[in-house]
């Protein structure tokens, strides 16, 4: 059974993975292998961006991309200067970027509205089907494109 995941990256980095030539990719937690091993082919993935640029103060707070993890395990990708992060292939769906703020009172993962960003600090965490459907709706993606029953 497919799982749902929320990954966290700057909008610039999330868009780079979404807009890659051919099949897109995901890369989480500064390219560490451990977290990305939890994700499996067929899983659903959404990217949230707290900022526009990595380490920036330029607030974004938006859902950037949504898709399905493709076949194949994590692979190393040499970005130069000794940085070799791990990635997974993802088929991203056509979607509009959307603010996360209107969804905060409806998400299962938000236990305390005053600390809604707590889980996002982990860089990758599981979402309920309910939450992934909320994300898909906000991004104008039909649930059947995500293989919901």
């Amino acid at each position: 059974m497919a799982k749902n995941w929320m990954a966290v990256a700057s909008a610039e980095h999330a868009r780079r993975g979404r807009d890659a030539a051919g099949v897109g990719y995901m890369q989480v937690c500064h390219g560490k292998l451990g977290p990305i091993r939890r994700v499996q082919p067929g899983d659903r993935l959404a990217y949230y961006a707290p900022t526009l640029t990595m380490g920036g103060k330029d607030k974004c707070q938006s859902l950037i991309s949504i898709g399905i993890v493709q076949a194949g395990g994590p692979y190393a990708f040499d970005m130069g200067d000794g940085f070799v992060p791990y990635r997974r292939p993802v088929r991203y769906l056509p979607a509009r970027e959307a603010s996360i703020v209107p969804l905060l009172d409806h998400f299962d993962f938000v236990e305390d509205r005053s600390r809604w960003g707590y889980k996002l600090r982990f860089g990758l965490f599981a979402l309920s089907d309910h939450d992934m459907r909320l994300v898909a709706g906000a991004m104008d993606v039909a649930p059947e494109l995500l293989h919901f029953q």
Side-chain angles (χ1 to χ4, degrees):
M1 181 168 200
K3 289 187 177 181
N4 305 299
W5 299 96
M6 177 78 75
V8 180
S10 69
E12 176 183 46
H13 285 179
R15 290 174 185 142
R16 190 178 300 157
R18 177 194 68 198
D19 299 339
V23 174
Y25 63 87
M26 67 176 295
Q27 179 178 308
V28 295
C29 304
H30 305 290
K32 292 179 183 162
L33 179 58
I36 209 165
R37 276 189 171 152
R38 297 169 37 208
V39 179
Q40 298 299 312
D43 286 354
R44 302 171 195 98
L45 172 76
Y47 259 97
Y48 166 75
T51 60
L52 293 171
T53 58
M54 185 172 118
K57 301 288 184 204
D58 43 3
K59 193 182 289 190
C60 182
Q61 293 185 327
S62 294
L63 300 159
I64 301 298
S65 55
I66 188 167
I68 306 286
V69 178
Q70 299 299 286
Y75 62 91
F77 184 83
D78 189 345
M79 293 187 70
D81 295 326
F83 182 48
V84 184
Y86 286 90
R87 295 178 172 178
R88 271 197 182 273
V90 177
R91 179 179 53 85
Y92 288 102
L93 301 168
R96 74 174 185 89
E97 295 183 12
S99 173
I100 198 170
V101 176
L103 305 177
L104 296 178
D105 289 329
H106 307 284
F107 278 133
D108 290 338
F109 82 85
V110 175
E111 297 167 13
D112 177 353
R113 181 67 150 73
S114 68
R115 296 171 26 105
W116 68 267
Y118 178 75
K119 281 197 174 177
L120 299 169
R121 300 175 332 138
F122 298 107
L124 179 71
F125 65 96
L127 285 180
S128 66
D129 282 354
H130 171 265
D131 285 0
M132 186 57 83
R133 285 177 186 273
L134 286 175
V135 169
M139 299 181 79
D140 291 334
V141 173
E144 55 270 12
L145 294 176
L146 292 166
H147 308 289
F148 279 109
Q149 303 305 327

